[in-house]
Amino acid sequence: MSFKPVILWTDALVYVLVAVIVIFAWQVRRHEHLLAPWRRVGHSASGMAALTILMFFIVIGLLDTIHLRPAIENGNGGSEAAYGVEVLSLLDLLATPLRTQVETTYSAPFATHLYARETVELPGGGQVREFPRLKFGGAHLQDPETQLFGDIATRAGTGAGLALLLWFLIATSVTAIVAHCRGERFVSTLSTIWQGITPVPWRAVFVTLALILLLGGAALALCSDYHILGTDKVGQDVFYQSLKSIRTGLLIGTLTTLMMLPFALLLGVAAGYFRGWVDDLIQYLYTTLSSIPGVLLIAATVLMMQVYMETHPELFDTIAARADLRLLFLCVILGVTSWTGLCRLLRGETLKLREMEYIQAAHAFGVSHWRIISRHIIPNVMHIVLITTVMDFSGLVLAEAVLSYVGVGVDPSTISFGTMINAARLEMAREPMVWWALFAAFTFMFALVLSANLFADAVQSAFDPRMKTLSALARTWRRKSIGKSA
Amino acid sequence: MNSVLEIQNLETVLHTELRPVWAVDGLTLQIMKGETFALLGESGCGKSITALSIMRLLPEAGEIVGGSIRLGGEDLLLLPEAAMRNVRGKRIGMIFQEPMLSLNPVMTVAQQIGEVLQRHFDLRGQAAEKRIVQILDQVGIPDAASRMNEYPFQFSGGMKQRIMIAMALAGEPELLIADEPTTALDVTIQAQVLELMRGLQQQGGMAILLITHDLGVASEMAHRVGIMYAGEIVETASREAFFRGPAHPYSRKLLAALPGRDRRKQGHRLDAIRGNVPSLSREFVGCRFADRCDQAWELCHQVAPGWTALTGEQQVRCHLFNQNFGSKIVKPAVSGQAGAPATLDAESWEFESFPSAGTEQSTPDGSLLSVTDLKVYFPIHKGLMRRVAGYVKAVDGISLRIDRGKTLALVGESGCGKTTAGKAMLQLIPPTGGSVRYNGVELVGLERNRLRRLRGEFQLIFQDPYSSLNPRMRIIDIIEEGMNALGVEDDGKEPKEKRVDELLESVGLPAETKWRYPHEFSGGQRQRIAIARALAVNPKLIVCDEPTSALDVSVQAQILNLLRELQRNLGLGYLFITHNISVVEYIADEIAVMYLGRIVERGTVDEVLGSPRHPYTQALLSAVPVIELESKRKVIRLHGDLPSPANPPQGCHFHPRCSHVMPVCRKNYPGASIFSSTHTAHCYLYPQDEEQSDRKTQA
């Protein structure tokens, strides 16, 4: 099958981001002193477990980032291949059954019948109002009432069994690699991992991995024949929507922060470091900006952009390109309006840092302002940046939901947690209630944000030398018995 | 049986991430009624943990695992927590180090003392108020009845410490634990507080457990002394016996590490103890001091020494004094002077005046740095428009001169403007007026780029080694920073890394430490790194801003030795900013005494310390605690505290606290009185130099 690759704006930025991370990782690997704190991250059990979960989200997000336009069969068989107008991602292609098996309207998770009565013509004439069978969900069952449970259990069991096998393979190969690196025998490494006394908490990673793989395996085995999280109003699979939302969430969380960081970092540090009129100017700027209602500002900008897009349809060759640009602009606008909080924090911290004696020592060496800022101040405020970034991550995902509700969020054709939650607003008011869309959005978002928070926690405590004593205190309770026995 | 406190075999463990730390390991001591017991030792020896163990106020990670603490025969460790609350504040009072942090800033003084009275005596209302006034009077708070309703921030540092003492006394305790009660205070205030504590003890007959690292304070206050090292007491003795002849090698080293003028005259290095206090988390076999002891032999490394009684009350934990090893006894050097056995390993030093190295660009008068009439004023902004309402005259016209290879000490109480003056000389704070000439080049108003080229010539060492190194940079980056900024050693002949190795070795650190981060080092090691950083750019002048005041005595000795050695080898000039007179005596050639932004007296060390002329200098010197067995000196008490530099007194700044005040002192600032070519003072007690005083009155 031939296809034409498509690189949307956000895709390009994601590729840049990935490239930066890879270069950074390569740099870190070469320098022992940069590697040391990351090692400490690797030694935190909660951090590594969270990272395992995050990896799944990131993989899904990346799969959803590689866009292409598949070739369509053109009847005349000409030399020039024609490509469909629909831009698909790798994830879409992998999840083709999920994407294409569309019911007519709501159906509950694992249901075989629709959630709403419909008037059905009987073969012998006459009409009856009933819950019709779904076109795809459980369509292979003869007698859903009796077979449903058994079928689900068998499929889930098979999927989980395969997943377990995969897990076993991964665990064995990781253990073998670890054993090889440490120059130990496989069995002894296995037993140290089992006892949880390896420096890198492999046991926690394996347990998390097992949980994810079991859930994922079962879901994979089931999702082609059932709507495991139900369907929405137009009959689209909610599980598919949730998977698609991951990319939007990750993008809003990361790209917005990228847009915001230069403003917050430069202005905040400059205000605190130079003081005087620079400080006054920047303070007035962010005080003014933060006193304008954010939603108003965003709405105005988004509407302006929307008008521009509508008057220039020739700029976009596909709907996806349009939706994508709108998403990017939303990130930019959110970034431009949300730097004030971090800026204020950084200004305060810099005011404190500039009086530190090592900064004065640098002044005494005649070190230039720029070098003092980049070598002394910025590394010492990075923990604040990191914490704020991760805390903002969840806030931004929610902000997107709020904006979608007002109608100035992502493009209606973009699937996001925001649009899902927004739709759920009406569904919750419906009787009988449709709960699964909200439930799915909530679960996915919760897992994403929680694991990001846990990972950031681990990073923070590893990078901040002052945090060490605190963690030492926290562990004392576990060690109490040692003192008594000694 | 009139012992107030009896501790038997106390063992306290701190649980940390890696392994338990035996902070106090088998401590035994006894304090009698009306007695002051001084617990002496370096930081990290477990002194404060001992105090907290007695109060049972250990941090969460701490645990008392053995022993007994008897207060008047009652074992505190067996009491339930509720009963313990009746002991704290009532039977045992405690004074902490930092008066600013020990008082609640949102409660008035009366409320805070009233809390104690209500808890332990159920006194309220009128009765409580009466008692509060009485207690505050007792600790010497003037006008107690009206000031008791003020908040802590309205009191000065010394007054706050008095209030802390008042709170500790409110419960009329049998035992007062004073944990470094004067470490955060200036010497003149310290003298007031120590005298107050002595007076209170004589009235009330309470026992005091004084925890300190300052041998001088111990010698002034204590009846008995206990030396603590690595979690255990290694020597106990009466004050007289201890200061006449300390027995344990550690005690002797501690006394020998004290700087002073005699040391300098004898031309000795200070007797620094090599290494650091060992980590208390490890298992000890043998004597804990053996690794740092010069007299250790195999037995010391194998068997932990028991107690050996010497004459009188003196007891020591050292194999040297055990009868069975009689041949090894080294008679403790008995000398009237403060533990002067400098023979131990002191190498003689020749202090020839330095033949000014690098005299290529010597100035006519041979001075390295000359400062004339330097002023630093900080504007006070007020109101909505941030109008300048006045100035804090932090430095108000000081003049001084530093010669090549010489040390000028700038002495004064905290808040007198010493540090600001030092920074203004290096142009780290823009001076408001005056001139600073380095090698004949005027630095004030010099443009940034030209100043930057000169930066390498003068450097700075800071007081707090914990905040003077960037925690996120490796040692090599820290040291290379200045070299990079100033383009030092860029000729390619000598790689920078090698230069860093040399620098680290020259300050006594192994070269491989350069890959580490600052938090992996102890305070003394950090200070060495800070010195190496300053030396990296080959300076000729170093401003040392209290470089040893955050360090222990033995480490202080190491740093002072290092500084002198560097001065001898490299011909450095030092401006030594400090409040520690004994350090000045040891290291300085000249002294300038500063009071409220002005220099009140200047001269060579011998002139100023030998025959101080200004009443302030006299008071300052008399307030320094000294180790003398027959203390004959009279402390000249200064009233009150340092006035605010925003609103200095009219006339002589010192007149409100001066005991020789005359009417003329209240009108004009005195001009210089010249005693010799080097010795001058500003005081009306002495004939004024006409020309000078005219100029002053006009200004």
Side-chain angles (χ1 to χ4, degrees):
Chain A
M1 191 175 107
S2 63
F3 58 87
K4 177 183 172 189
V6 176
I7 295 183
L8 302 172
W9 274 103
T10 51
D11 297 350
L13 284 174
V14 170
Y15 293 143
V16 170
L17 193 65
V18 170
V20 167
I21 289 171
V22 168
I23 293 170
F24 177 70
W26 184 66
Q27 275 277 313
V28 165
R29 270 191 72 87
R30 284 182 53 215
H31 292 92
E32 181 53 36
H33 69 285
L34 292 176
L35 194 57
W38 286 104
R39 283 231 174 85
R40 286 202 288 274
V41 176
H43 294 173
S44 140
S46 63
M48 287 306 279
L51 185 65
T52 317
I53 301 175
L54 268 184
M55 283 316 286
F56 271 80
F57 281 107
I58 291 169
V59 166
I60 293 172
L62 285 178
L63 279 179
D64 204 11
T65 294
I66 303 166
H67 283 107
L68 45 90
R69 282 163 72 178
I72 44 169
E73 307 292 327
N74 45 354
N76 49 25
S79 56
E80 206 174 309
Y83 299 100
V85 283
E86 206 179 0
V87 175
L88 294 178
S89 69
L90 271 187
L91 183 75
D92 292 332
L93 293 178
L94 290 174
T96 308
L98 284 180
R99 184 165 55 89
T100 50
Q101 293 174 357
V102 179
E103 308 291 344
T104 45
T105 184
Y106 293 119
S107 70
F110 296 112
T112 52
H113 292 82
L114 274 182
Y115 201 57
R117 273 181 218 275
E118 268 180 15
T119 312
V120 179
E121 301 272 341
L122 289 174
Q127 292 172 330
V128 71
R129 276 188 68 77
E130 58 156 20
F131 296 106
R133 277 293 293 268
L134 293 177
K135 275 185 277 178
F136 302 101
H140 58 288
L141 299 177
Q142 303 300 322
D143 180 15
E145 244 110 282
T146 53
Q147 292 172 328
L148 180 69
F149 186 74
D151 188 56
I152 290 174
T154 332
R155 281 163 188 267
T158 322
L162 284 172
L164 215 56
L165 205 66
L166 181 66
W167 176 79
F168 191 71
L169 274 175
I170 296 175
T172 316
S173 48
V174 167
T175 312
I177 293 169
V178 171
H180 179 73
C181 289
R182 289 162 48 131
E184 282 177 14
R185 285 180 44 238
F186 181 80
V187 181
S188 65
T189 310
L190 194 65
S191 80
T192 51
I193 287 177
W194 184 248
Q195 287 162 24
I197 49 177
T198 44
V200 178
W202 288 114
R203 188 173 63 169
V205 173
F206 287 159
V207 169
T208 322
L209 195 66
L211 283 176
I212 300 173
L213 284 177
L214 281 178
L215 275 176
L220 270 182
L222 289 166
C223 69
S224 58
D225 288 304
Y226 293 97
H227 300 292
I228 55 172
L229 289 173
T231 56
D232 71 352
K233 191 171 181 179
V234 292
Q236 249 194 344
D237 191 281
V238 173
F239 182 54
Y240 171 72
Q241 288 185 336
S242 307
L243 290 181
K244 290 288 281 180
S245 300
I246 290 171
R247 175 176 186 265
T248 320
L250 285 176
L251 273 184
I252 298 251
T254 51
L255 290 189
T256 305
T257 312
L258 276 189
M259 301 294 164
M260 165 186 96
L261 268 189
F263 289 101
L265 208 56
L266 280 180
L267 294 180
V269 170
Y273 180 76
F274 293 108
R275 299 204 296 193
W277 65 268
V278 181
D279 188 20
D280 287 346
L281 190 76
I282 294 170
Q283 272 195 73
Y284 281 124
L285 187 67
Y286 70 59
T287 314
T288 315
L289 202 61
S290 56
S291 54
I292 302 172
V295 179
L296 198 71
L297 206 64
I298 295 165
T301 331
V302 168
L303 287 174
M304 269 159 61
M305 184 195 63
Q306 220 171 328
V307 170
Y308 177 82
M309 282 178 170
E310 257 148 43
T311 50
H312 298 81
E314 71 279 2
L315 291 177
F316 314 101
D317 47 358
T318 55
I319 303 170
R322 229 184 89 160
D324 179 74
L325 200 68
R326 191 161 159 183
L327 177 64
L328 179 64
F329 267 100
L330 187 67
C331 290
V332 174
I333 294 159
L334 276 174
V336 171
T337 50
S338 64
W339 57 271
T340 50
L342 180 59
C343 185
R344 193 172 299 172
L345 276 178
L346 290 178
R347 174 181 169 267
E349 185 70 12
T350 311
L351 278 176
K352 195 183 91 193
L353 283 176
R354 79 187 295 279
E355 299 300 328
M356 294 297 280
E357 288 177 343
Y358 55 82
I359 308 272
Q360 292 186 7
H363 279 301
F365 283 125
V367 177
S368 66
H369 290 316
W370 172 244
R371 277 189 79 78
I372 289 181
I373 288 179
S374 63
R375 288 194 42 149
H376 291 286
I377 293 184
I378 290 190
N380 279 297
V381 297
M382 269 335 255
H383 61 284
I384 294 182
V385 172
L386 197 80
I387 299 162
T388 319
T389 308
V390 180
M391 282 180 144
D392 282 0
F393 181 84
S394 48
L396 287 167
V397 176
L398 291 175
E400 186 265 329
V402 171
L403 293 174
S404 300
Y405 172 62
V406 184
V408 293
V410 294
D411 196 82
S413 68
T414 312
I415 302 166
S416 75
F417 291 127
T419 46
M420 283 174 75
I421 292 170
N422 187 27
R425 192 171 46 87
L426 288 173
E427 291 161 3
M428 296 296 281
R430 192 179 173 279
E431 183 62 41
M433 193 168 68
V434 174
W435 50 269
W436 47 87
L438 187 72
F439 169 79
F442 170 81
T443 315
F444 273 75
M445 215 155 94
F446 178 73
L448 178 64
V449 173
L450 182 67
S451 52
N453 276 339
L454 284 177
F455 181 66
D457 245 18
V459 172
Q460 189 208 351
S461 55
F463 272 77
D464 198 342
R466 284 160 294 189
M467 292 290 291
K468 276 194 168 167
T469 45
L470 276 178
S471 68
L473 255 179
R475 287 189 201 178
T476 52
W477 290 109
R478 261 188 277 155
R479 315 253 169 181
K480 273 232 152 174
S481 52
I482 299 169
K484 279 174 185 148
S485 63
Chain B
M1 205 46 192
N2 57 355
S3 74
V4 176
L5 181 77
E6 236 186 303
I7 302 178
Q8 290 287 341
N9 284 322
L10 178 71
E11 287 178 29
T12 303
V13 174
L14 292 176
H15 300 283
T16 61
E17 197 167 355
L18 294 173
R19 50 182 69 172
V21 171
W22 296 81
V24 181
D25 196 1
L27 178 129
T28 299
L29 64 81
Q30 206 178 26
I31 304 176
M32 302 296 168
K33 195 169 181 326
E35 182 185 56
T36 302
F37 185 92
L39 202 53
L40 271 164
E42 294 178 276
S43 54
C45 281
K47 306 186 298 284
S48 292
I49 295 292
T50 307
L52 293 174
S53 300
I54 297 169
M55 294 291 268
R56 279 181 45 193
L57 283 175
L58 286 170
E60 222 157 75
E63 189 184 1
I64 298 171
V65 289
S68 67
I69 300 172
R70 290 177 181 282
L71 182 70
E74 189 179 9
D75 194 341
L76 296 182
L77 298 183
L78 300 179
L79 288 181
E81 180 60 26
M84 196 59 210
R85 254 179 260 150
N86 287 328
V87 174
R88 290 183 202 127
K90 171 81 180 75
R91 298 183 59 193
I92 308 178
M94 188 151 178
I95 311 172
F96 298 92
Q97 178 171 352
E98 202 52 77
M100 290 74 179
L101 301 178
S102 331
L103 293 169
N104 185 343
V106 296
M107 281 168 76
T108 64
V109 167
Q111 282 170 341
Q112 298 192 42
I113 299 175
E115 231 177 16
V116 181
L117 296 177
Q118 191 184 331
R119 174 76 183 78
H120 294 297
F121 301 98
D122 204 22
L123 274 182
R124 282 159 217 268
Q126 290 280 313
E129 228 162 80
K130 234 175 95 191
R131 177 78 183 121
I132 292 169
V133 173
Q134 200 183 342
I135 298 168
L136 288 178
D137 272 339
Q138 208 180 346
V139 296
I141 304 275
D143 196 15
S146 67
R147 293 211 74 181
M148 63 187 250
N149 289 318
E150 289 182 7
Y151 288 90
F153 76 91
Q154 289 164 298
F155 292 86
S156 67
M159 285 293 169
K160 275 188 210 153
Q161 194 61 302
R162 282 165 190 268
I163 292 165
M164 264 314 286
I165 295 175
M167 275 175 76
L169 291 177
E172 294 161 21
E174 299 154 45
L175 172 71
L176 181 70
I177 301 176
D179 188 357
E180 307 266 9
T182 56
T183 308
L185 303 176
D186 280 312
V187 271
T188 54
I189 311 291
Q190 168 173 295
Q192 294 173 10
V193 170
L194 291 182
E195 197 182 301
L196 170 70
M197 280 171 63
R198 257 197 306 263
L200 291 170
Q201 185 180 35
Q202 276 158 16
Q203 287 170 28
M206 65 184 167
I208 297 181
L209 174 62
L210 177 73
I211 291 173
T212 181
H213 68 275
D214 189 332
L215 291 160
V217 170
S219 130
E220 295 224 325
M221 291 290 293
H223 300 108
R224 282 195 308 134
V225 177
I227 303 290
M228 203 162 172
Y229 183 77
E232 59 181 24
I233 292 186
V234 294
E235 180 172 357
T236 54
S238 67
R239 168 181 168 269
E240 288 76 18
F242 180 78
F243 288 104
R244 189 169 294 127
H248 197 278
Y250 176 64
S251 324
R252 278 189 263 160
K253 285 263 192 180
L254 265 190
L255 280 169
L258 285 181
R261 211 167 358 151
D262 311 310
R263 284 301 146 75
R264 176 197 177 84
K265 282 207 181 123
Q266 291 156 16
H268 288 312
R269 279 169 74 96
L270 289 176
D271 210 349
I273 308 177
R274 60 169 189 266
N276 292 303
V277 178
S279 155
L280 294 175
S281 58
R282 65 171 228 217
E283 293 271 330
F284 287 100
V285 182
C287 174
R288 296 176 180 212
F289 188 59
D291 290 340
R292 301 173 75 187
C293 184
D294 295 321
Q295 288 149 292
W297 74 96
E298 306 109 73
L299 184 72
C300 299
H301 291 282
Q302 287 155 6
V303 183
W307 282 106
T308 309
L310 301 176
T311 49
E313 274 186 276
Q314 198 164 11
Q315 278 190 311
V316 64
R317 207 183 260 226
C318 181
H319 286 309
L320 286 174
F321 301 92
N322 197 318
Q323 295 301 319
N324 303 339
F325 309 105
S327 59
K328 293 277 185 182
I329 289 183
V330 176
K331 206 169 155 47
V334 177
S335 123
Q337 271 313 322
T343 43
L344 286 177
D345 68 343
E347 59 188 69
S348 242
W349 266 18
E350 303 294 317
F351 285 120
E352 80 277 18
S353 66
F354 192 83
S356 37
T359 34
E360 309 92 54
Q361 349 104 314
S362 134
T363 43
D365 55 353
S367 71
L368 191 60
L369 186 83
S370 69
V371 178
T372 338
D373 209 22
L374 183 72
K375 287 183 179 129
V376 183
Y377 294 172
F378 296 113
I380 306 168
H381 295 287
K382 261 192 185 158
L384 198 62
M385 300 308 289
R386 320 222 317 156
R387 176 170 57 80
V388 176
Y391 289 98
V392 175
K393 297 182 177 178
V395 179
D396 195 12
I398 64 168
S399 304
L400 39 84
R401 214 188 87 165
I402 302 169
D403 291 338
R404 257 188 205 85
K406 294 284 181 193
T407 305
L408 171 73
L410 198 55
V411 182
E413 291 176 280
S414 56
C416 75
K418 315 185 287 289
T419 301
T420 312
K423 286 182 181 163
M425 283 177 217
L426 301 191
Q427 309 300 311
L428 289 175
I429 299 173
T432 314
S435 111
V436 179
R437 298 179 84 81
Y438 173 80
N439 254 340
V441 182
E442 176 64 58
L443 297 182
V444 178
L446 200 65
E447 62 175 290
R448 198 176 144 82
N449 271 334
R450 291 188 55 204
L451 183 64
R452 224 178 114 181
R453 251 172 280 146
L454 274 175
R455 282 277 185 214
E457 304 275 309
F458 34 88
Q459 277 305 311
L460 196 58
I461 301 172
F462 296 95
Q463 171 176 6
D464 181 4
Y466 289 90
S467 71
S468 65
L469 304 176
N470 186 341
R472 284 168 201 278
M473 278 164 80
R474 289 172 307 162
I475 303 309
I476 183 168
D477 297 327
I478 289 173
I479 294 176
E480 274 184 358
E481 177 168 56
M483 291 154 75
N484 289 336
L486 297 169
V488 182
E489 310 292 343
D490 239 1
D491 48 6
K493 275 184 231 151
E494 195 184 22
K496 267 193 206 121
E497 211 174 303
K498 214 176 138 221
R499 172 94 177 112
V500 172
D501 292 354
E502 282 170 19
L503 282 165
L504 283 174
E505 270 154 27
S506 74
V507 297
L509 288 173
E512 60 270 16
T513 52
K514 68 185 168 192
W515 301 115
R516 298 210 221 139
Y517 283 89
H519 66 89
E520 297 168 53
F521 295 91
S522 68
Q525 287 172 323
R526 281 160 174 254
Q527 201 59 290
R528 284 165 189 269
I529 294 165
I531 293 172
R533 170 176 64 184
L535 290 177
V537 293
N538 305 320
K540 297 278 174 294
L541 171 75
I542 297 186
V543 172
C544 307
D545 189 359
E546 310 245 14
T548 59
S549 63
L551 305 175
D552 278 318
V553 186
S554 70
V555 183
Q556 166 175 292
Q558 292 170 7
I559 299 292
L560 291 179
N561 281 340
L562 176 66
L563 287 173
R564 291 211 75 165
E565 203 173 315
L566 293 169
Q567 182 167 53
R568 196 178 49 155
N569 296 338
L570 305 173
L572 300 176
Y574 289 137
L575 175 66
F576 210 92
I577 298 171
T578 184
H579 64 267
N580 188 335
I581 301 291
S582 62
V583 170
V584 172
E585 282 176 328
Y586 178 69
I587 201 157
D589 300 298
E590 279 184 275
I591 298 184
V593 181
M594 225 174 142
Y595 186 78
L596 214 61
R598 290 187 182 176
I599 290 176
V600 295
E601 184 161 359
R602 255 180 77 187
T604 63
V605 168
D606 293 328
E607 284 167 345
V608 175
L609 298 183
S611 55
R613 298 305 178 100
H614 197 281
Y616 176 65
T617 318
Q618 290 166 356
L620 193 68
L621 293 181
S622 79
V624 178
V626 284
I627 302 169
E628 272 171 7
L629 289 178
E630 291 80 31
S631 190
K632 290 284 181 287
R633 86 201 162 89
K634 196 175 143 285
V635 175
I636 303 171
R637 269 193 70 172
L638 289 183
H639 313 283
D641 292 295
L642 200 66
S644 157
N647 189 15
Q650 182 79 31
C652 175
H653 289 172
F654 187 59
H655 83 256
R657 299 173 77 189
C658 185
S659 48
H660 305 284
V661 61
M662 299 176 286
V664 64
C665 298
R666 297 198 173 90
K667 286 183 195 127
N668 293 317
Y669 194 82
S673 310
I674 296 171
F675 307 105
S676 77
S677 64
T678 47
H679 193 184
T680 56
H682 290 270
C683 185
Y684 283 116
L685 289 177
Y686 310 101
Q688 301 282 300
D689 183 40
E690 285 305 319
E691 185 195 341
Q692 281 258 338
S693 59
D694 281 352
R695 205 164 58 82
K696 279 284 169 194
T697 43
Q698 277 160 22

